[in-house]
Amino acid sequence: MAKTATLCVRLDPTLKEEGDDILKDIGVSASTLITMLYKQLVEKRGIPFEVSTRKERKEPLDVSKLTHDELIAEIEKGYRDIEEGREIDAEEFFKRFDKEHNL
């Protein structure tokens, strides 16, 4: 048998129940869904779907097209955002995301 790793995830109970109902209808387990997500994540080298908190979308940054200096500048910009408090934790992010997308 192949070795496996365990992933522990905390979800809102209602969200989990609704998601489990959909998975049951299509005949896919949560474990299979997560495996599919991870396979796509690795293949695409990023999240395999759009993630946005803005109503007005700007073109996503394609790091493969940046020069070394441009990439370093983007990383430094991210660090400055963190240092200056322009970041939010994941829980707050998903609250805003759900609200903006009427979820």
Side-chain angles (χ1 to χ4, degrees):
M1 180 176 207
K3 292 183 180 181
T4 60
T6 300
L7 175 68
C8 182
V9 180
R10 294 185 185 271
L11 294 174
D12 175 274
T14 302
L15 176 62
K16 181 182 182 307
E17 184 178 316
E18 291 175 1
D20 286 346
D21 288 345
I22 294 167
L23 291 172
K24 183 178 177 185
D25 287 346
I26 60 175
V28 174
S29 69
S31 180
T32 299
L33 177 66
I34 297 299
T35 299
M36 291 165 47
L37 172 62
Y38 267 69
K39 285 183 178 183
Q40 285 297 302
L41 178 70
V42 170
E43 182 177 319
K44 305 286 186 195
R45 304 297 306 152
I47 297 174
F49 49 83
E50 182 179 348
V51 177
S52 174
T53 60
R54 298 184 179 122
K55 294 193 186 267
E56 188 177 324
R57 293 186 177 108
K58 64 179 187 176
E59 193 65 28
L61 182 63
D62 183 352
V63 296
S64 69
K65 295 182 180 177
L66 298 179
T67 66
H68 179 267
D69 291 340
E70 290 170 330
L71 178 60
I72 297 301
E74 286 297 325
I75 292 170
E76 289 173 346
K77 186 168 59 171
Y79 279 120
R80 281 192 306 277
D81 285 346
I82 292 168
E83 290 172 346
E84 296 173 17
R86 290 188 301 266
E87 89 284 346
I88 59 172
D89 63 68
E91 185 175 9
E92 180 62 28
F93 168 83
F94 284 108
K95 282 182 188 176
R96 292 182 191 181
F97 181 87
D98 290 347
K99 183 177 178 184
E100 290 180 15
H101 292 87
N102 300 316
L103 300 175

